[in-house]
Short mmCIF file of all heavy atoms in Angstrom, two decimals:
data_model
loop_
_atom_site.label_atom_id
_atom_site.label_comp_id
_atom_site.label_asym_id
_atom_site.label_seq_id
_atom_site.Cartn_x
_atom_site.Cartn_y
_atom_site.Cartn_z
N ILE A 18 -109.74 44.68 47.02
CA ILE A 18 -109.46 43.74 48.13
C ILE A 18 -108.87 42.56 47.49
O ILE A 18 -109.58 41.72 46.87
CB ILE A 18 -110.71 43.50 48.88
CG1 ILE A 18 -111.24 44.76 49.54
CG2 ILE A 18 -110.56 42.34 49.84
CD1 ILE A 18 -112.51 44.68 50.27
N ALA A 19 -107.58 42.35 47.70
CA ALA A 19 -106.89 41.23 47.05
C ALA A 19 -106.11 40.41 48.09
O ALA A 19 -105.39 41.01 48.93
CB ALA A 19 -105.92 41.79 45.95
N PHE A 20 -106.20 39.06 47.97
CA PHE A 20 -105.49 38.23 48.87
C PHE A 20 -105.49 36.76 48.39
O PHE A 20 -106.29 36.39 47.54
CB PHE A 20 -106.16 38.22 50.34
CG PHE A 20 -107.62 37.75 50.38
CD1 PHE A 20 -107.88 36.39 50.67
CD2 PHE A 20 -108.62 38.59 50.07
CE1 PHE A 20 -109.16 35.99 50.65
CE2 PHE A 20 -109.94 38.15 50.13
CZ PHE A 20 -110.25 36.86 50.44
N ASN A 21 -104.63 35.98 48.92
CA ASN A 21 -104.55 34.50 48.61
C ASN A 21 -104.92 33.78 49.93
O ASN A 21 -104.33 33.95 50.99
CB ASN A 21 -103.17 34.12 48.16
CG ASN A 21 -102.72 34.72 46.84
OD1 ASN A 21 -103.61 34.84 45.92
ND2 ASN A 21 -101.50 35.16 46.74
N VAL A 22 -105.87 32.81 49.74
CA VAL A 22 -106.40 32.09 50.86
C VAL A 22 -105.26 31.31 51.59
O VAL A 22 -105.19 31.30 52.83
CB VAL A 22 -107.51 31.09 50.43
CG1 VAL A 22 -107.93 30.24 51.52
CG2 VAL A 22 -108.73 31.87 49.84
N SER A 23 -104.33 30.81 50.77
CA SER A 23 -103.26 29.98 51.41
C SER A 23 -102.10 30.77 51.98
O SER A 23 -101.22 30.28 52.64
CB SER A 23 -102.71 29.08 50.31
OG SER A 23 -102.10 29.88 49.24
N GLN A 24 -102.23 32.18 51.93
CA GLN A 24 -101.29 32.95 52.56
C GLN A 24 -101.85 33.93 53.56
O GLN A 24 -102.36 35.02 53.11
CB GLN A 24 -100.47 33.72 51.38
CG GLN A 24 -99.72 32.89 50.46
CD GLN A 24 -99.10 33.78 49.39
OE1 GLN A 24 -99.74 34.17 48.44
NE2 GLN A 24 -97.81 33.97 49.46
N PRO A 25 -101.88 33.54 54.78
CA PRO A 25 -102.55 34.43 55.83
C PRO A 25 -102.08 35.82 55.94
O PRO A 25 -102.83 36.76 56.23
CB PRO A 25 -102.34 33.67 57.02
CG PRO A 25 -102.17 32.21 56.67
CD PRO A 25 -101.47 32.25 55.36
N SER A 26 -100.82 36.05 55.52
CA SER A 26 -100.24 37.38 55.61
C SER A 26 -100.90 38.28 54.64
O SER A 26 -100.82 39.51 54.84
CB SER A 26 -98.75 37.30 55.37
OG SER A 26 -98.49 36.81 54.13
N THR A 27 -101.55 37.72 53.62
CA THR A 27 -102.15 38.65 52.54
C THR A 27 -103.57 39.02 52.99
O THR A 27 -104.08 40.08 52.50
CB THR A 27 -102.28 38.00 51.20
OG1 THR A 27 -103.06 36.72 51.27
CG2 THR A 27 -100.86 37.58 50.73
N TRP A 28 -104.25 38.27 53.90
CA TRP A 28 -105.58 38.60 54.30
C TRP A 28 -105.71 39.06 55.77
O TRP A 28 -106.72 39.69 56.16
CB TRP A 28 -106.59 37.55 54.00
CG TRP A 28 -106.27 36.15 54.46
CD1 TRP A 28 -105.86 35.10 53.67
CD2 TRP A 28 -106.37 35.58 55.78
NE1 TRP A 28 -105.65 33.96 54.40
CE2 TRP A 28 -105.94 34.20 55.74
CE3 TRP A 28 -106.76 36.11 57.05
CZ2 TRP A 28 -105.96 33.30 56.85
CZ3 TRP A 28 -106.71 35.22 58.17
CH2 TRP A 28 -106.34 33.92 58.00
N GLN A 29 -104.71 38.83 56.59
CA GLN A 29 -104.72 39.22 57.95
C GLN A 29 -104.88 40.75 58.20
O GLN A 29 -105.72 41.15 59.10
CB GLN A 29 -103.49 38.77 58.71
CG GLN A 29 -103.54 38.89 60.23
CD GLN A 29 -104.64 37.98 60.79
OE1 GLN A 29 -104.74 36.83 60.44
NE2 GLN A 29 -105.49 38.61 61.67
N PRO A 30 -104.29 41.60 57.36
CA PRO A 30 -104.56 43.05 57.54
C PRO A 30 -106.03 43.43 57.41
O PRO A 30 -106.48 44.31 58.14
CB PRO A 30 -103.71 43.68 56.50
CG PRO A 30 -102.56 42.75 56.25
CD PRO A 30 -103.18 41.35 56.39
N TYR A 31 -106.74 42.75 56.44
CA TYR A 31 -108.20 43.03 56.32
C TYR A 31 -108.89 42.60 57.62
O TYR A 31 -109.79 43.31 58.10
CB TYR A 31 -108.73 42.28 55.06
CG TYR A 31 -108.12 42.69 53.79
CD1 TYR A 31 -107.36 41.84 53.02
CD2 TYR A 31 -108.36 44.01 53.26
CE1 TYR A 31 -106.82 42.24 51.84
CE2 TYR A 31 -107.76 44.46 52.13
CZ TYR A 31 -107.02 43.49 51.38
OH TYR A 31 -106.50 43.89 50.18
N VAL A 32 -108.62 41.47 58.12
CA VAL A 32 -109.23 40.90 59.28
C VAL A 32 -108.97 41.86 60.50
O VAL A 32 -109.83 42.26 61.21
CB VAL A 32 -108.75 39.42 59.63
CG1 VAL A 32 -109.21 39.01 60.95
CG2 VAL A 32 -109.15 38.52 58.51
N ASP A 33 -107.73 42.30 60.65
CA ASP A 33 -107.43 43.21 61.75
C ASP A 33 -108.27 44.49 61.63
O ASP A 33 -108.71 45.03 62.65
CB ASP A 33 -105.91 43.44 61.85
CG ASP A 33 -105.10 42.25 62.12
OD1 ASP A 33 -105.67 41.29 62.70
OD2 ASP A 33 -103.88 42.29 61.88
N SER A 34 -108.34 45.04 60.46
CA SER A 34 -109.10 46.23 60.25
C SER A 34 -110.55 46.10 60.60
O SER A 34 -111.12 46.98 61.20
CB SER A 34 -108.94 46.67 58.68
OG SER A 34 -109.69 47.79 58.44
N MET A 35 -111.08 44.92 60.25
CA MET A 35 -112.49 44.68 60.58
C MET A 35 -112.74 44.55 62.10
O MET A 35 -113.70 45.19 62.60
CB MET A 35 -112.89 43.34 59.95
CG MET A 35 -112.98 43.44 58.36
SD MET A 35 -114.48 44.12 57.73
CE MET A 35 -115.62 42.72 57.77
N HIS A 36 -111.85 43.96 62.83
CA HIS A 36 -111.98 43.80 64.30
C HIS A 36 -111.83 45.15 64.94
O HIS A 36 -112.59 45.48 65.83
CB HIS A 36 -110.94 42.88 64.78
CG HIS A 36 -111.29 41.40 64.66
ND1 HIS A 36 -112.40 40.87 65.38
CD2 HIS A 36 -110.75 40.44 64.01
CE1 HIS A 36 -112.55 39.56 65.07
NE2 HIS A 36 -111.56 39.31 64.28
N HIS A 37 -110.86 45.95 64.41
CA HIS A 37 -110.78 47.35 64.97
C HIS A 37 -112.00 48.20 64.73
O HIS A 37 -112.40 48.88 65.63
CB HIS A 37 -109.51 48.01 64.32
CG HIS A 37 -109.26 49.40 64.78
ND1 HIS A 37 -108.76 49.66 66.01
CD2 HIS A 37 -109.47 50.61 64.12
CE1 HIS A 37 -108.62 51.05 66.07
NE2 HIS A 37 -109.08 51.57 65.01
N PHE A 38 -112.53 48.14 63.53
CA PHE A 38 -113.71 48.90 63.21
C PHE A 38 -114.95 48.48 64.04
O PHE A 38 -115.68 49.31 64.52
CB PHE A 38 -114.08 48.81 61.65
CG PHE A 38 -115.26 49.50 61.25
CD1 PHE A 38 -115.33 50.87 61.24
CD2 PHE A 38 -116.40 48.76 60.96
CE1 PHE A 38 -116.47 51.54 60.87
CE2 PHE A 38 -117.52 49.39 60.59
CZ PHE A 38 -117.59 50.85 60.55
N LEU A 39 -115.08 47.22 64.23
CA LEU A 39 -116.24 46.72 64.92
C LEU A 39 -116.13 46.73 66.43
O LEU A 39 -117.07 46.36 67.18
CB LEU A 39 -116.58 45.25 64.45
CG LEU A 39 -117.12 45.13 63.06
CD1 LEU A 39 -117.23 43.66 62.72
CD2 LEU A 39 -118.57 45.81 62.96
N ALA A 40 -115.00 47.11 66.96
CA ALA A 40 -114.89 47.22 68.48
C ALA A 40 -115.93 48.04 69.07
O ALA A 40 -116.47 47.71 70.13
CB ALA A 40 -113.50 47.75 68.77
N ALA A 41 -116.37 49.15 68.44
CA ALA A 41 -117.45 50.03 68.98
C ALA A 41 -118.71 49.38 68.90
O ALA A 41 -119.73 49.85 69.47
CB ALA A 41 -117.42 51.35 68.24
N TYR A 42 -118.86 48.30 68.13
CA TYR A 42 -120.20 47.59 68.01
C TYR A 42 -120.28 46.29 68.91
O TYR A 42 -121.24 45.64 68.80
CB TYR A 42 -120.43 47.17 66.52
CG TYR A 42 -120.59 48.34 65.62
CD1 TYR A 42 -119.47 49.06 65.00
CD2 TYR A 42 -121.83 48.75 65.18
CE1 TYR A 42 -119.67 50.09 64.15
CE2 TYR A 42 -122.07 49.84 64.31
CZ TYR A 42 -120.96 50.52 63.78
OH TYR A 42 -121.16 51.51 62.88
N ASP A 43 -119.26 46.10 69.79
CA ASP A 43 -119.31 44.93 70.60
C ASP A 43 -120.66 44.96 71.39
O ASP A 43 -121.04 46.02 71.90
CB ASP A 43 -118.20 44.93 71.55
CG ASP A 43 -116.86 44.48 70.91
OD1 ASP A 43 -116.92 43.93 69.77
OD2 ASP A 43 -115.78 44.66 71.49
N ASP A 44 -121.26 43.80 71.51
CA ASP A 44 -122.60 43.81 72.18
C ASP A 44 -122.58 44.44 73.57
O ASP A 44 -123.45 45.21 73.90
CB ASP A 44 -122.97 42.27 72.29
CG ASP A 44 -123.37 41.70 70.97
OD1 ASP A 44 -122.98 42.24 69.98
OD2 ASP A 44 -124.15 40.70 70.99
N LYS A 45 -121.53 44.23 74.35
CA LYS A 45 -121.40 44.78 75.78
C LYS A 45 -121.30 46.31 75.64
O LYS A 45 -121.87 46.99 76.48
CB LYS A 45 -120.27 44.13 76.48
CG LYS A 45 -120.48 42.72 76.83
CD LYS A 45 -119.35 42.21 77.76
CE LYS A 45 -119.59 40.79 78.20
NZ LYS A 45 -118.48 40.27 79.01
N VAL A 46 -120.49 46.70 74.70
CA VAL A 46 -120.34 48.23 74.50
C VAL A 46 -121.73 48.90 74.22
O VAL A 46 -122.10 49.87 74.74
CB VAL A 46 -119.30 48.50 73.45
CG1 VAL A 46 -119.27 50.02 73.18
CG2 VAL A 46 -118.00 48.02 73.89
N GLN A 47 -122.44 48.23 73.24
CA GLN A 47 -123.69 48.80 72.86
C GLN A 47 -124.73 48.73 73.99
O GLN A 47 -125.55 49.65 74.13
CB GLN A 47 -124.28 48.06 71.69
CG GLN A 47 -123.46 48.29 70.38
CD GLN A 47 -123.69 49.74 69.85
OE1 GLN A 47 -124.78 50.25 69.82
NE2 GLN A 47 -122.55 50.48 69.58
N GLU A 48 -124.73 47.66 74.73
CA GLU A 48 -125.67 47.52 75.83
C GLU A 48 -125.44 48.59 76.98
O GLU A 48 -126.35 49.08 77.60
CB GLU A 48 -125.61 46.11 76.47
CG GLU A 48 -126.22 45.06 75.54
CD GLU A 48 -125.84 43.68 75.99
OE1 GLU A 48 -125.16 43.50 77.00
OE2 GLU A 48 -126.29 42.64 75.29
N GLU A 49 -124.20 48.95 77.12
CA GLU A 49 -123.84 49.90 78.15
C GLU A 49 -124.17 51.32 77.75
O GLU A 49 -124.58 52.16 78.59
CB GLU A 49 -122.32 49.86 78.53
CG GLU A 49 -121.91 48.52 79.24
CD GLU A 49 -120.44 48.41 79.42
OE1 GLU A 49 -119.70 49.32 78.96
OE2 GLU A 49 -119.95 47.43 80.04
N LYS A 50 -123.91 51.70 76.46
CA LYS A 50 -124.04 53.02 76.00
C LYS A 50 -125.40 53.36 75.39
O LYS A 50 -125.85 54.47 75.48
CB LYS A 50 -122.91 53.26 75.03
CG LYS A 50 -121.54 53.32 75.59
CD LYS A 50 -120.53 53.79 74.49
CE LYS A 50 -119.10 53.99 75.14
NZ LYS A 50 -118.12 54.42 74.05
N ASN A 51 -126.04 52.41 74.73
CA ASN A 51 -127.24 52.65 73.99
C ASN A 51 -128.42 51.96 74.40
O ASN A 51 -128.36 51.04 75.25
CB ASN A 51 -126.93 52.45 72.42
CG ASN A 51 -125.85 53.40 71.92
OD1 ASN A 51 -125.58 54.49 72.47
ND2 ASN A 51 -125.06 52.94 70.93
#
């Protein structure tokens, strides 16, 4: 996992991946299903 803090383009893909993965863990989703 490599990125430069001053260059958002280097870390934004990691951030997008995290949001995509955690979509199933959204509080409202969990409250509705589980």
